[in-house]
Short mmCIF file of all heavy atoms in Angstrom, two decimals:
data_model
loop_
_atom_site.label_atom_id
_atom_site.label_comp_id
_atom_site.label_asym_id
_atom_site.label_seq_id
_atom_site.Cartn_x
_atom_site.Cartn_y
_atom_site.Cartn_z
N GLU A 128 11.16 -31.92 -61.28
CA GLU A 128 9.73 -32.32 -61.20
C GLU A 128 8.83 -31.11 -61.66
O GLU A 128 7.88 -31.33 -62.38
CB GLU A 128 9.35 -32.78 -59.83
CG GLU A 128 9.84 -34.19 -59.50
CD GLU A 128 9.43 -34.65 -58.12
OE1 GLU A 128 9.16 -33.83 -57.22
OE2 GLU A 128 9.36 -35.88 -57.98
N GLN A 129 9.24 -29.90 -61.25
CA GLN A 129 8.44 -28.74 -61.65
C GLN A 129 8.59 -28.44 -63.12
O GLN A 129 7.66 -28.15 -63.84
CB GLN A 129 8.79 -27.55 -60.78
CG GLN A 129 8.33 -27.67 -59.34
CD GLN A 129 8.81 -26.51 -58.50
OE1 GLN A 129 9.51 -25.61 -58.95
NE2 GLN A 129 8.40 -26.58 -57.22
N LYS A 130 9.84 -28.48 -63.60
CA LYS A 130 10.15 -28.14 -64.98
C LYS A 130 9.48 -29.10 -65.96
O LYS A 130 8.91 -28.67 -66.97
CB LYS A 130 11.69 -28.19 -65.19
CG LYS A 130 12.06 -27.85 -66.61
CD LYS A 130 13.60 -27.78 -66.77
CE LYS A 130 13.88 -27.38 -68.23
NZ LYS A 130 15.25 -26.96 -68.33
N TYR A 131 9.50 -30.37 -65.66
CA TYR A 131 8.98 -31.35 -66.63
C TYR A 131 7.59 -31.92 -66.28
O TYR A 131 7.04 -32.69 -66.97
CB TYR A 131 9.98 -32.49 -66.76
CG TYR A 131 11.25 -32.10 -67.43
CD1 TYR A 131 12.40 -31.96 -66.68
CD2 TYR A 131 11.29 -31.86 -68.75
CE1 TYR A 131 13.59 -31.59 -67.24
CE2 TYR A 131 12.52 -31.45 -69.34
CZ TYR A 131 13.61 -31.34 -68.58
OH TYR A 131 14.84 -30.93 -69.13
N ARG A 132 7.05 -31.48 -65.14
CA ARG A 132 5.74 -31.93 -64.64
C ARG A 132 5.69 -33.48 -64.64
O ARG A 132 4.83 -34.07 -65.27
CB ARG A 132 4.61 -31.34 -65.45
CG ARG A 132 4.48 -29.88 -65.25
CD ARG A 132 3.27 -29.30 -65.85
NE ARG A 132 3.16 -27.93 -65.47
CZ ARG A 132 2.93 -26.91 -66.28
NH1 ARG A 132 2.76 -27.18 -67.59
NH2 ARG A 132 2.89 -25.69 -65.82
N ALA A 133 6.74 -34.10 -64.03
CA ALA A 133 6.89 -35.52 -63.96
C ALA A 133 7.41 -35.85 -62.59
O ALA A 133 7.84 -34.98 -61.88
CB ALA A 133 7.76 -36.00 -65.05
N ARG A 134 7.36 -37.12 -62.25
CA ARG A 134 7.89 -37.63 -60.95
C ARG A 134 9.30 -38.21 -61.13
O ARG A 134 9.51 -38.94 -62.08
CB ARG A 134 6.99 -38.68 -60.34
CG ARG A 134 5.68 -38.14 -59.86
CD ARG A 134 4.78 -39.16 -59.27
NE ARG A 134 4.43 -40.17 -60.33
CZ ARG A 134 4.35 -41.43 -60.15
NH1 ARG A 134 4.69 -41.97 -59.02
NH2 ARG A 134 4.03 -42.19 -61.16
N VAL A 135 10.17 -37.93 -60.26
CA VAL A 135 11.48 -38.61 -60.25
C VAL A 135 11.32 -39.96 -59.57
O VAL A 135 10.85 -40.03 -58.46
CB VAL A 135 12.56 -37.74 -59.53
CG1 VAL A 135 13.85 -38.54 -59.31
CG2 VAL A 135 12.75 -36.42 -60.24
N VAL A 136 11.68 -41.03 -60.29
CA VAL A 136 11.53 -42.35 -59.78
C VAL A 136 12.86 -42.98 -59.39
O VAL A 136 12.89 -44.01 -58.79
CB VAL A 136 10.76 -43.26 -60.79
CG1 VAL A 136 9.32 -42.77 -60.96
CG2 VAL A 136 11.45 -43.33 -62.11
N LYS A 137 13.91 -42.37 -59.83
CA LYS A 137 15.27 -42.87 -59.47
C LYS A 137 16.19 -41.67 -59.46
O LYS A 137 16.17 -40.80 -60.36
CB LYS A 137 15.77 -43.89 -60.47
CG LYS A 137 17.14 -44.47 -60.08
CD LYS A 137 17.58 -45.55 -61.02
CE LYS A 137 18.90 -46.11 -60.62
NZ LYS A 137 19.40 -47.10 -61.58
N ALA A 138 17.11 -41.61 -58.45
CA ALA A 138 18.06 -40.47 -58.38
C ALA A 138 19.34 -41.00 -57.88
O ALA A 138 19.39 -41.83 -56.91
CB ALA A 138 17.52 -39.41 -57.40
N GLU A 139 20.48 -40.55 -58.48
CA GLU A 139 21.78 -40.97 -58.01
C GLU A 139 22.73 -39.84 -58.35
O GLU A 139 22.51 -39.00 -59.23
CB GLU A 139 22.22 -42.28 -58.64
CG GLU A 139 22.40 -42.22 -60.13
CD GLU A 139 22.78 -43.59 -60.71
OE1 GLU A 139 22.63 -44.61 -60.00
OE2 GLU A 139 23.28 -43.63 -61.85
N SER A 140 23.87 -39.82 -57.61
CA SER A 140 24.95 -38.85 -57.78
C SER A 140 26.05 -39.55 -58.55
O SER A 140 26.38 -40.72 -58.30
CB SER A 140 25.50 -38.32 -56.49
OG SER A 140 24.50 -37.68 -55.80
N GLN A 141 26.65 -38.85 -59.50
CA GLN A 141 27.87 -39.36 -60.21
C GLN A 141 28.92 -38.26 -60.35
O GLN A 141 28.56 -37.07 -60.23
CB GLN A 141 27.43 -39.87 -61.66
CG GLN A 141 26.52 -41.01 -61.62
CD GLN A 141 26.22 -41.44 -63.03
OE1 GLN A 141 26.51 -40.81 -64.02
NE2 GLN A 141 25.52 -42.56 -63.15
N ARG A 142 30.08 -38.63 -60.60
CA ARG A 142 31.14 -37.69 -60.93
C ARG A 142 31.37 -37.65 -62.43
O ARG A 142 31.43 -38.73 -63.06
CB ARG A 142 32.45 -38.02 -60.21
CG ARG A 142 32.42 -37.96 -58.72
CD ARG A 142 32.22 -36.64 -58.19
NE ARG A 142 33.39 -35.84 -58.23
CZ ARG A 142 33.50 -34.60 -57.77
NH1 ARG A 142 32.47 -34.01 -57.24
NH2 ARG A 142 34.63 -33.97 -57.82
N ASP A 143 31.41 -36.50 -63.03
CA ASP A 143 31.63 -36.36 -64.43
C ASP A 143 32.71 -35.26 -64.68
O ASP A 143 32.41 -34.05 -64.41
CB ASP A 143 30.29 -35.92 -65.17
CG ASP A 143 30.43 -35.86 -66.65
OD1 ASP A 143 31.38 -36.41 -67.24
OD2 ASP A 143 29.57 -35.20 -67.26
N ASN A 144 33.92 -35.68 -65.04
CA ASN A 144 35.03 -34.76 -65.22
C ASN A 144 35.26 -33.91 -63.99
O ASN A 144 35.45 -32.69 -64.05
CB ASN A 144 34.75 -33.81 -66.45
CG ASN A 144 34.78 -34.60 -67.74
OD1 ASN A 144 35.56 -35.54 -67.88
ND2 ASN A 144 33.94 -34.21 -68.66
N GLY A 145 35.16 -34.56 -62.81
CA GLY A 145 35.48 -33.87 -61.56
C GLY A 145 34.33 -33.12 -60.98
O GLY A 145 34.50 -32.47 -59.93
N ARG A 146 33.18 -33.11 -61.63
CA ARG A 146 32.02 -32.37 -61.12
C ARG A 146 30.93 -33.35 -60.68
O ARG A 146 30.81 -34.45 -61.27
CB ARG A 146 31.46 -31.45 -62.23
CG ARG A 146 32.48 -30.42 -62.70
CD ARG A 146 31.92 -29.58 -63.85
NE ARG A 146 30.71 -28.80 -63.42
CZ ARG A 146 30.79 -27.49 -63.04
NH1 ARG A 146 32.01 -26.89 -63.00
NH2 ARG A 146 29.72 -26.87 -62.67
N THR A 147 30.16 -32.97 -59.73
CA THR A 147 29.06 -33.79 -59.26
C THR A 147 27.83 -33.55 -60.16
O THR A 147 27.45 -32.40 -60.41
CB THR A 147 28.66 -33.49 -57.77
OG1 THR A 147 29.82 -33.76 -56.97
CG2 THR A 147 27.51 -34.33 -57.29
N VAL A 148 27.24 -34.62 -60.61
CA VAL A 148 26.07 -34.53 -61.47
C VAL A 148 25.03 -35.45 -60.86
O VAL A 148 25.26 -36.58 -60.50
CB VAL A 148 26.38 -34.97 -62.86
CG1 VAL A 148 25.10 -34.97 -63.74
CG2 VAL A 148 27.46 -34.11 -63.52
N TYR A 149 23.79 -34.92 -60.73
CA TYR A 149 22.69 -35.75 -60.25
C TYR A 149 22.02 -36.32 -61.50
O TYR A 149 21.61 -35.58 -62.45
CB TYR A 149 21.66 -34.93 -59.46
CG TYR A 149 22.26 -34.28 -58.27
CD1 TYR A 149 22.12 -32.90 -58.06
CD2 TYR A 149 22.96 -34.96 -57.28
CE1 TYR A 149 22.65 -32.26 -56.94
CE2 TYR A 149 23.50 -34.36 -56.19
CZ TYR A 149 23.34 -33.03 -56.03
OH TYR A 149 23.91 -32.37 -54.90
N VAL A 150 21.83 -37.64 -61.56
CA VAL A 150 21.20 -38.31 -62.64
C VAL A 150 19.82 -38.76 -62.16
O VAL A 150 19.73 -39.51 -61.20
CB VAL A 150 22.02 -39.55 -63.10
CG1 VAL A 150 21.34 -40.22 -64.31
CG2 VAL A 150 23.42 -39.12 -63.51
N LEU A 151 18.80 -38.18 -62.78
CA LEU A 151 17.41 -38.36 -62.34
C LEU A 151 16.62 -39.00 -63.41
O LEU A 151 16.60 -38.54 -64.57
CB LEU A 151 16.81 -37.03 -61.94
CG LEU A 151 17.60 -36.18 -60.97
CD1 LEU A 151 16.96 -34.79 -60.75
CD2 LEU A 151 17.77 -36.86 -59.65
N ARG A 152 15.89 -40.11 -63.10
CA ARG A 152 14.96 -40.73 -64.02
C ARG A 152 13.58 -40.26 -63.72
O ARG A 152 13.16 -40.31 -62.57
CB ARG A 152 15.10 -42.26 -63.88
CG ARG A 152 14.10 -42.92 -64.89
CD ARG A 152 14.57 -44.31 -65.32
NE ARG A 152 15.87 -44.28 -65.84
CZ ARG A 152 16.65 -45.39 -65.83
NH1 ARG A 152 16.31 -46.46 -65.28
NH2 ARG A 152 17.91 -45.24 -66.34
N LEU A 153 12.89 -39.85 -64.77
CA LEU A 153 11.52 -39.24 -64.59
C LEU A 153 10.45 -40.13 -65.25
O LEU A 153 10.75 -40.86 -66.20
CB LEU A 153 11.49 -37.86 -65.28
CG LEU A 153 12.36 -36.85 -64.65
CD1 LEU A 153 13.14 -36.10 -65.70
CD2 LEU A 153 11.55 -35.93 -63.78
N LEU A 154 9.25 -40.01 -64.71
CA LEU A 154 8.10 -40.71 -65.22
C LEU A 154 6.91 -39.71 -65.26
O LEU A 154 6.64 -39.12 -64.23
CB LEU A 154 7.69 -41.91 -64.31
CG LEU A 154 6.39 -42.61 -64.61
CD1 LEU A 154 6.45 -43.35 -65.97
CD2 LEU A 154 6.06 -43.56 -63.44
N ASP A 155 6.31 -39.53 -66.41
CA ASP A 155 5.20 -38.61 -66.51
C ASP A 155 3.85 -39.37 -66.48
O ASP A 155 3.85 -40.62 -66.49
CB ASP A 155 5.33 -37.65 -67.67
CG ASP A 155 5.11 -38.28 -69.06
OD1 ASP A 155 4.75 -39.50 -69.10
OD2 ASP A 155 5.42 -37.63 -70.04
N ASP A 156 2.77 -38.66 -66.49
CA ASP A 156 1.43 -39.26 -66.36
C ASP A 156 1.08 -40.10 -67.55
O ASP A 156 0.28 -41.06 -67.43
CB ASP A 156 0.35 -38.14 -66.22
CG ASP A 156 0.40 -37.49 -64.83
OD1 ASP A 156 0.92 -38.08 -63.93
OD2 ASP A 156 -0.05 -36.37 -64.70
N SER A 157 1.70 -39.90 -68.72
CA SER A 157 1.39 -40.71 -69.87
C SER A 157 2.25 -41.98 -69.92
O SER A 157 2.07 -42.82 -70.81
CB SER A 157 1.67 -39.90 -71.18
OG SER A 157 3.08 -39.66 -71.38
N GLY A 158 3.17 -42.11 -68.92
CA GLY A 158 4.01 -43.33 -68.88
C GLY A 158 5.38 -43.15 -69.49
O GLY A 158 6.18 -44.10 -69.53
N LYS A 159 5.68 -42.00 -70.04
CA LYS A 159 6.99 -41.73 -70.64
C LYS A 159 8.05 -41.71 -69.56
O LYS A 159 7.89 -41.08 -68.50
CB LYS A 159 6.99 -40.45 -71.39
CG LYS A 159 8.33 -40.08 -72.04
CD LYS A 159 8.23 -38.68 -72.71
CE LYS A 159 9.59 -38.30 -73.20
NZ LYS A 159 9.69 -36.94 -73.70
N VAL A 160 9.16 -42.39 -69.80
CA VAL A 160 10.32 -42.43 -68.88
C VAL A 160 11.54 -41.84 -69.63
O VAL A 160 11.78 -42.19 -70.75
CB VAL A 160 10.64 -43.84 -68.44
CG1 VAL A 160 11.80 -43.93 -67.52
CG2 VAL A 160 9.43 -44.48 -67.74
N TRP A 161 12.25 -40.97 -68.96
CA TRP A 161 13.47 -40.43 -69.49
C TRP A 161 14.44 -40.00 -68.40
O TRP A 161 14.05 -39.96 -67.22
CB TRP A 161 13.20 -39.29 -70.46
CG TRP A 161 12.73 -38.03 -69.91
CD1 TRP A 161 13.44 -36.85 -69.70
CD2 TRP A 161 11.38 -37.69 -69.45
NE1 TRP A 161 12.67 -35.92 -69.09
CE2 TRP A 161 11.40 -36.37 -68.97
CE3 TRP A 161 10.20 -38.39 -69.40
CZ2 TRP A 161 10.25 -35.76 -68.48
CZ3 TRP A 161 9.10 -37.81 -68.89
CH2 TRP A 161 9.12 -36.50 -68.42
N THR A 162 15.67 -39.69 -68.76
CA THR A 162 16.69 -39.37 -67.79
C THR A 162 17.22 -37.95 -68.05
O THR A 162 17.37 -37.58 -69.20
CB THR A 162 17.87 -40.37 -67.87
OG1 THR A 162 17.36 -41.66 -67.63
CG2 THR A 162 18.97 -40.04 -66.90
N VAL A 163 17.41 -37.18 -66.97
CA VAL A 163 18.01 -35.85 -67.11
C VAL A 163 19.23 -35.79 -66.14
O VAL A 163 19.31 -36.57 -65.19
CB VAL A 163 17.07 -34.70 -66.78
CG1 VAL A 163 15.90 -34.68 -67.77
CG2 VAL A 163 16.52 -34.78 -65.38
N HIS A 164 20.14 -34.90 -66.45
CA HIS A 164 21.33 -34.69 -65.62
C HIS A 164 21.29 -33.28 -65.10
O HIS A 164 21.06 -32.32 -65.84
CB HIS A 164 22.60 -34.92 -66.51
CG HIS A 164 22.71 -36.32 -67.01
ND1 HIS A 164 22.04 -36.71 -68.15
CD2 HIS A 164 23.36 -37.38 -66.53
CE1 HIS A 164 22.33 -37.99 -68.36
NE2 HIS A 164 23.13 -38.41 -67.40
N VAL A 165 21.58 -33.11 -63.81
CA VAL A 165 21.61 -31.76 -63.19
C VAL A 165 22.99 -31.56 -62.62
O VAL A 165 23.46 -32.34 -61.80
CB VAL A 165 20.55 -31.69 -62.05
CG1 VAL A 165 20.60 -30.28 -61.43
CG2 VAL A 165 19.16 -32.00 -62.61
N ASP A 166 23.63 -30.54 -63.05
CA ASP A 166 24.94 -30.18 -62.53
C ASP A 166 24.79 -29.58 -61.15
O ASP A 166 24.04 -28.66 -60.91
CB ASP A 166 25.58 -29.08 -63.46
CG ASP A 166 27.02 -28.78 -63.05
OD1 ASP A 166 27.14 -28.12 -61.95
OD2 ASP A 166 27.92 -29.13 -63.74
N ALA A 167 25.41 -30.23 -60.13
CA ALA A 167 25.18 -29.82 -58.77
C ALA A 167 25.77 -28.48 -58.46
O ALA A 167 25.30 -27.82 -57.53
CB ALA A 167 25.86 -30.88 -57.81
N ALA A 168 26.77 -28.02 -59.20
CA ALA A 168 27.36 -26.72 -58.91
C ALA A 168 26.55 -25.60 -59.49
O ALA A 168 26.41 -24.53 -58.86
CB ALA A 168 28.82 -26.66 -59.49
#
């Protein structure tokens, strides 16, 4: 949220090649929606 100056509207955890990854959907003030992945480790 700080990096992209947007709100997270959906968050889930997934496993990717044995690693935990947080998949976050963002919404900014202009209405743009996109997804980012954060490596939990």
Side-chain angles (χ1 to χ4, degrees):
E128 285 182 335
Q129 290 175 1
K130 179 175 182 165
Y131 293 105
R132 294 191 173 129
R134 289 181 295 140
V135 172
V136 295
K137 182 177 180 184
E139 64 184 18
S140 298
Q141 294 181 352
R142 295 295 283 181
D143 184 19
N144 293 324
R146 298 177 67 96
T147 301
V148 176
Y149 302 127
V150 181
L151 308 174
R152 180 153 306 152
L153 295 134
L154 171 68
D155 69 11
D156 290 338
S157 69
K159 178 182 173 187
V160 177
W161 70 102
T162 302
V163 297
H164 298 82
V165 180
D166 184 290

